[in-house]
Amino acid sequence: MRRALAGCLGLLLCLSLSRCEMPTGAPDFSFESSLQAPLLLEKTFVLLGPQEGTDALIDTTRHGVDTLFRVESDNVLALVAEEELEDFVQLDELSRTLAERATPAPVSVAAGVDDVLEQDLSAAYSFDLQVLRIAPLALVDTTMPVPVLPLEASLPSPPARLDLGTEFIDLQEGTEVMLGNVTGGVNELHVLLYNGLDVPLTDSRVASPPRLRIRYADTGELLQEVVLERVPQPGETAAGMASLAGKRLVPELIYELDLGTYGGAAQPNGAIQLQVWTTTLEADRALAAVPGQTVQVERQRIAVAGESQLLGAVLASSELTLTLHNQLPVTLQIESLQIRTREPVGGYPAGYAALQLGLVAVGPGETVTVPVQLGVVSREVDAVAMVSTPGSAMPVDVAAADRLEMELQGLARLNTLYFYPQGETFQTDGSIAIESDEVAFAPGDYVTLADGQLVLEDLLSTLDVNLDTLQLSFPDIRRPPYGPGDTLVIRFVRGAVDDPGRYLFAGLPAGSAVTRALTLRDLRLYPAQNTLRYHIYGRLETASQARALEATDSVRATVRLEGLDLKDAHVQVSNLTADLNDDVNGDGLLDVALDAEARISSVDGLDELSKRVSGLQVQGTDLTLSLTTNIGGEATLYLAILGRAADGTTRFLRGRGAYAVAPDDPVIAPLRYNGSPLGADQLIRLPFVGTDDPDRPVTHTYVLDATNSNIDEFLSLLPQELRVVGRVVAEGAVQLRQPLTVTARAGLRIPLHIAADVIEVQDTVEVDLSSLDLPTDPQDDVQVEEARLTLRYANGIPLAVATEIELLDAFEQPIGVRIPAENTLQVAAAPVDGQGFATTYREGEVSVTLTRDQLALLKQGRRARLVLQVQTPAEQVSAVRIRASDALRLQLQGAFRYRTRVH
């Protein structure tokens, strides 16, 4: 605080000595005595002023006190001062404390690669019938005579045994088979005829080579007709072929041979040989019996698909299921199932049994789901199963497409993934807690930062895979204009160049820790529920080289917010306590006696008054303290205000009533005076309610009087210096905006109801007596026979005044002349009425006879020290009251008796 303008406040008694006239005529040769009694001073003094035609005991026109006194109603004087107290209270520490409490502790953040290592794995395979295959059938093989031609005859033949083989299980004694449409060596009917007759053979109509018709025995419908390729001559063989693709085949068939010869009817000699057979038949469907059987089936190179381009993986856990769907019309029982790796995976060799499954029965048309666990998997696996069926005694309808389907699918958590990176992504969310009992952020609350840093310390990727992009975003830290989409996003991008202003940095190298510090200037924090959310996103490179990811791999860093300085804030606080002064020695205490910690100030004029007046006791004082601030919210100031007088006397301003401090209040614990704890009776608490809008400062005014403080006692000290330390406690919704404006103005009013026993006023005034030419040489013809100074007074001020005047030389050293010569001049107080006002004057005088030595020293006088002890009369109990017109009249007269020697 700036010190008040140096004022000059004191009692000014101007002693003007007039030079005596000396005889100048020619000597008349006689002795005579002459008396010179010049009036040296005739003045009227008011207590305060001066006023027109008067001087003042206390010159209120002197700079520093010229506005200190005021004439109020009834012509009563009051000491009035108004002063802006710079730095009386500073709440910057509240902003710093709030910033500290709103700063989260450093926190370690990490993003693992779980998103990559959690893979949906799938592998689908089946044990198919694939085809209903009938081995080549010998339908007819006979030699027979032909007694007559033409001939259309049915040939006897046993039923065909339609046993079907598949890639899975076998069928027996098919009763009906639907052949497929496959041709080209399969599903063919072949006929071979040897002509052992003596005539050529044609069909019965002699239109074409011989024919063979095959009919269904049950319906007589034609299955197929085969026309031989040529007319066999005697001793020749002719062949024919027809396709059975798409035909229905049954065991019992009728074979009709159609023969003739040229020339019409004939009775040939000899016999013919006929062979009818099939190639392998492949059926789409069959009605056949399924015998009980156990088969071992195997599938190789079953692809295992994952979300990544998988080479292999070691699993930590899985939620895999094996789904078995039986499309066959008979129950299938899985006696055992093994899934084996085809390639080495980590420390596991090729052929490792990754899965072994025990007994599982699946009924016809049923689907069974079995949870399974895999320990390791390669990108291709082999499956080997032992499957049995009890079969079916009755023919059942079987299709070539029937199969036992198996599908392995589910979520697997991997310990290690071997793969070709294809830009896979991983991400994680978390929050940074602001752990404070004093600061809370409700939805919409925020702090805007004037300065500060976000430090990513030891940012490290342990991945064996390069990162194309690493992105750290903080949704609750926003850039201007602070919309929800203005999230702070920090990016590390391969190929980029560091650009901190855009929060962009070069890609993060694998295995090397980096530290980056980013400015938070002008950014705003919205830590709802006292948490700052963060989001970490990473995208892997795309590479043709194999890479490995481990479950322990991560991207991690320590996030630290430091050096936060608030620009503005809107938060909720609970007993947020801050110092109002700097703790310069870092001991956690504030000592009002330490110049470096206390705020030191003075009230303009009051400090000057204190240099000249002591012993003052006043009544009816009020001190108006106005605090104007743009801080919003409720707070209480705890202040230690120490007044120090010019003589070193100290006194604390103490609160009473609503302004009293409770003795057990923990807030005051750090407050000290010369190292000793301050008591509650040495403090004052001032609650205030700030503004609703930081753009519109509000003023809170406190009127301190005898009902709520010891202000009378405090100001009676006339403190030359005010020393302040304190603390502030904020509560509820608080708004801060820089620059924080806190201005204090003190308005002081002291009616001059003076109740002191002794009020001492001192001042030193200029008195130049160098021109006073008094004869002091004993050889001179003119001698001063007697020299006397007489001071007469008429006191209209209702205060007794004990006066002492001492003359000083140019070096302010006494010259040995005092008025009175000993003790003090007792100027009696004016009589007063019942209200304490003066009614008339008290008169008196005092004389001082100067010695020859004093007379010789008198002309060295340059200054006069006036010591005035203003006293209330002893018989008066109540305080006196002073009017502006109350005056003290003084006359100072010199009496000099001369003796002249005539020659």
Side-chain angles (χ1 to χ4, degrees):
M1 174 183 260
R2 67 174 176 84
R3 299 186 60 85
L5 296 176
C8 295
L9 180 59
L11 298 179
L12 176 61
L13 177 61
C14 299
L15 300 178
S16 301
L17 300 179
S18 301
R19 182 176 179 180
C20 300
E21 296 181 2
M22 303 296 295
T24 59
D28 58 359
F29 304 100
S30 64
F31 295 94
E32 92 181 50
S33 296
S34 64
L35 178 66
Q36 297 292 331
L39 182 62
L40 302 179
L41 175 68
E42 184 175 24
K43 291 289 186 179
T44 298
F45 296 93
V46 292
L47 181 64
L48 305 170
Q51 300 177 16
E52 185 177 356
T54 68
D55 290 329
L57 295 177
I58 302 176
D59 186 359
T60 62
T61 64
R62 297 174 67 179
H63 185 62
V65 294
D66 51 354
T67 61
L68 194 58
F69 297 93
R70 181 181 300 166
V71 179
E72 297 189 337
S73 60
D74 297 328
N75 207 29
V76 177
L77 286 168
L79 187 151
V80 179
E82 290 188 7
E83 179 73 14
E84 183 170 322
L85 305 176
E86 293 186 3
D87 292 339
F88 178 74
V89 173
Q90 285 293 322
L91 294 182
D92 290 340
E93 195 64 31
L94 177 63
S95 175
R96 285 190 288 270
T97 300
L98 177 57
E100 290 174 2
R101 300 298 187 272
T103 301
V107 62
S108 295
V109 302
V113 289
D114 290 350
D115 289 349
V116 181
L117 295 181
E118 288 188 356
Q119 297 258 338
D120 280 320
L121 300 181
S122 64
Y125 54 97
S126 62
F127 299 120
D128 307 273
L129 298 182
Q130 293 189 9
V131 64
L132 302 180
R133 185 178 295 108
I134 301 175
L137 297 174
L139 299 178
V140 177
D141 187 0
T142 184
T143 298
M144 56 176 289
V146 180
V148 62
L149 292 174
L151 174 69
E152 291 184 68
S154 296
L155 304 177
S157 177
R161 185 177 175 87
L162 304 181
D163 291 336
L164 296 94
T166 72
E167 298 297 324
F168 188 15
I169 61 173
D170 294 331
L171 310 178
Q172 291 181 348
E173 299 178 358
T175 59
E176 183 178 86
V177 176
M178 290 298 301
L179 299 178
N181 292 317
V182 180
T183 59
V186 296
N187 293 337
E188 294 178 353
L189 179 65
H190 289 265
V191 178
L192 186 65
L193 178 64
Y194 173 71
N195 185 5
L197 301 178
D198 54 3
V199 293
L201 290 176
T202 65
D203 65 0
S204 59
R205 294 185 297 276
V206 194
S208 63
R211 297 173 181 268
L212 178 68
R213 298 183 185 94
I214 303 175
R215 298 183 184 272
Y216 297 107
D218 54 351
T219 64
E221 293 181 4
L222 181 66
L223 167 60
Q224 186 59 281
E225 182 181 57
V226 181
V227 179
L228 300 184
E229 59 185 359
R230 63 187 181 86
V231 175
Q233 298 296 319
E236 292 182 346
T237 299
M241 188 275 291
S243 174
L244 295 177
K247 301 296 185 178
R248 182 172 71 95
L249 185 63
V250 297
E252 295 185 357
L253 299 173
I254 299 174
Y255 304 91
E256 296 180 348
L257 188 59
D258 183 358
L259 298 174
T261 188
Y262 298 123
Q267 293 182 350
N269 294 316
I272 62 172
Q273 293 179 357
L274 179 64
Q275 293 179 325
V276 180
W277 74 94
T278 68
T279 61
T280 298
L281 302 178
E282 294 184 0
D284 288 339
R285 303 187 66 84
L287 191 62
V290 178
Q293 55 191 297
T294 298
V295 297
Q296 177 176 307
V297 288
E298 183 175 349
R299 290 290 180 268
Q300 293 185 340
R301 296 191 177 277
I302 300 170
V304 178
E307 297 173 57
S308 297
Q309 193 170 334
L310 182 72
L311 292 175
V314 179
L315 283 67
S317 64
S318 63
E319 299 173 7
L320 297 171
T321 57
L322 179 64
T323 301
L324 302 110
H325 178 55
N326 181 14
Q327 296 182 355
L328 277 74
V330 292
T331 296
L332 297 176
Q333 187 164 284
I334 314 301
E335 303 291 339
S336 66
L337 173 65
Q338 280 192 353
I339 296 179
R340 300 172 180 169
T341 59
R342 288 189 63 85
E343 300 94 8
V345 177
Y348 297 90
Y352 179 80
L355 171 66
Q356 298 192 59
L357 183 66
L359 188 64
V360 179
V362 187
E366 285 186 352
T367 299
V368 174
T369 300
V370 181
V372 295
Q373 291 290 332
L374 282 177
V376 63
V377 67
S378 57
R379 61 177 169 180
E380 289 185 333
V381 295
D382 296 336
V384 179
M386 191 71 70
V387 182
S388 67
T389 178
S392 172
M394 300 296 295
V396 292
D397 189 5
V398 180
D402 289 348
R403 67 189 67 189
L404 174 61
E405 293 181 344
M406 296 187 180
E407 183 178 17
L408 183 67
Q409 189 172 30
L411 181 66
R413 294 175 181 84
L414 311 181
N415 269 333
T416 308
L417 171 65
Y418 303 95
F419 70 124
Y420 295 114
Q422 299 296 310
E424 289 86 350
T425 63
F426 61 92
Q427 57 188 337
T428 190
D429 296 308
S431 61
I432 303 172
I434 298 174
E435 297 179 353
S436 173
D437 295 330
E438 298 168 289
V439 177
F441 289 84
D445 284 355
Y446 63 87
V447 293
T448 307
L449 301 178
D451 206 352
Q453 287 186 326
L454 186 151
V455 180
L456 297 175
E457 186 176 20
D458 294 333
L459 178 60
L460 174 66
S461 169
T462 64
L463 280 63
D464 183 43
V465 185
N466 290 321
L467 294 170
D468 269 357
T469 300
L470 176 67
Q471 182 172 291
L472 291 87
S473 58
F474 298 85
D476 300 320
I477 303 178
R478 302 180 187 174
R479 298 174 292 107
Y482 310 123
D486 299 319
T487 295
L488 171 63
V489 179
I490 306 167
R491 294 178 298 146
F492 295 83
V493 179
R494 289 182 71 193
V497 177
D498 286 358
D499 187 353
R502 296 172 54 211
Y503 304 101
L504 174 65
F505 298 94
L508 184 65
S512 298
V514 299
T515 295
R516 296 288 184 267
L518 301 98
T519 180
L520 294 175
R521 184 177 296 114
D522 294 329
L523 271 62
R524 181 173 289 179
L525 278 57
Y526 286 89
Q529 307 303 318
N530 281 36
T531 57
L532 290 170
R533 296 171 295 160
Y534 66 84
H535 180 78
I536 302 176
Y537 166 85
R539 187 174 69 244
L540 306 183
E541 64 178 331
T542 298
S544 58
Q545 292 80 30
R547 297 283 190 263
L549 277 184
E550 301 285 344
T552 55
D553 287 343
S554 67
V555 176
R556 59 179 181 263
T558 296
V559 177
R560 186 174 68 252
L561 275 66
E562 62 183 22
L564 301 190
D565 185 14
L566 303 187
K567 187 176 184 179
D568 68 280
H570 191 298
V571 299
Q572 312 300 311
V573 300
S574 176
N575 291 320
L576 178 65
T577 303
D579 295 338
L580 295 177
N581 307 71
D582 292 332
D583 178 15
V584 295
N585 55 13
D587 60 359
L589 306 173
L590 296 177
D591 199 319
V592 71
L594 290 180
D595 291 349
E597 292 188 344
R599 298 191 184 278
I600 304 173
S601 59
S602 63
V603 178
D604 197 10
L606 199 59
D607 56 342
E608 290 298 330
L609 183 61
S610 70
K611 295 175 183 177
R612 293 166 173 79
V613 179
S614 62
L616 179 67
Q617 296 180 19
V618 297
Q619 295 178 345
T621 300
D622 60 66
L623 174 65
T624 300
L625 179 63
S626 298
L627 294 179
T628 301
T629 179
N630 66 342
I631 296 175
E634 298 182 7
T636 301
L637 302 175
Y638 289 79
L639 302 175
I641 302 177
L642 178 67
R644 189 190 302 274
D647 62 359
T649 305
T650 59
R651 190 169 296 155
F652 283 95
L653 179 62
R654 179 177 72 251
R656 295 173 178 155
Y659 295 163
V661 176
D664 58 350
D665 196 324
V667 175
I668 67 175
L671 302 182
R672 295 288 192 274
Y673 176 54
N674 280 327
S676 299
L678 290 175
D681 60 351
Q682 295 171 299
L683 304 168
I684 188 169
R685 64 186 292 273
L686 301 176
F688 75 88
V689 177
T691 181
D692 292 332
D693 182 356
D695 290 330
R696 294 182 296 178
V698 296
T699 300
H700 192 85
T701 301
Y702 307 90
V703 179
L704 302 182
D705 55 28
T707 66
N708 55 28
S709 69
N710 67 334
I711 192 66
D712 284 345
E713 177 187 356
F714 182 76
L715 289 178
S716 293
L717 187 68
L718 290 180
Q720 176 184 1
E721 177 183 83
L722 298 179
R723 306 174 71 89
V724 182
V725 297
R727 308 188 83 199
V728 60
V729 179
E731 187 73 35
V734 171
Q735 297 183 69
L736 302 177
R737 181 172 298 166
Q738 296 286 7
L740 298 181
T741 59
V742 183
T743 57
R745 175 171 288 276
L748 176 66
R749 177 183 174 276
I750 307 176
L752 291 185
H753 297 193
I754 306 221
D757 293 331
V758 177
I759 303 171
E760 184 174 290
V761 179
Q762 292 191 32
D763 202 359
T764 301
V765 297
E766 297 287 340
V767 176
D768 188 0
L769 302 180
S770 61
S771 60
L772 186 62
D773 188 13
L774 295 175
T776 58
D777 188 346
Q779 303 301 319
D780 288 348
D781 293 335
V782 179
Q783 298 292 320
V784 177
E785 188 175 64
E786 181 183 6
R788 188 172 65 253
L789 298 177
T790 301
L791 178 64
R792 295 183 179 87
Y793 66 86
N795 186 9
I797 299 173
L799 298 173
V801 182
T803 306
E804 174 187 338
I805 302 174
E806 187 173 24
L807 297 182
L808 309 174
D809 62 15
F811 302 101
E812 295 193 1
Q813 299 298 314
I815 64 173
V817 178
R818 297 175 73 254
I819 305 173
E822 295 180 355
N823 300 321
T824 58
L825 170 62
Q826 298 296 324
V827 179
V832 296
D833 59 17
Q835 295 181 332
F837 290 112
T839 58
T840 187
Y841 285 88
R842 298 273 194 188
E843 298 181 351
E845 68 177 40
V846 65
S847 295
V848 176
T849 300
L850 302 178
T851 67
R852 186 173 298 278
D853 291 340
Q854 289 176 323
L855 190 64
L857 296 172
L858 191 63
K859 66 186 300 180
Q860 298 180 24
R862 297 293 185 272
R863 295 176 182 273
R865 178 187 293 129
L866 179 61
V867 179
L868 184 66
Q869 290 184 334
V870 183
Q871 303 171 331
T872 54
E875 68 270 12
Q876 291 185 220
V877 177
S878 61
V880 298
R881 304 175 70 185
I882 301 174
R883 298 185 182 93
S885 58
D886 292 345
L888 173 65
R889 296 172 183 168
L890 296 177
Q891 287 184 345
L892 182 63
Q893 190 171 25
F896 301 97
R897 187 180 298 277
Y898 298 94
R899 183 179 61 187
T900 304
R901 183 170 52 211
V902 180
H903 297 283

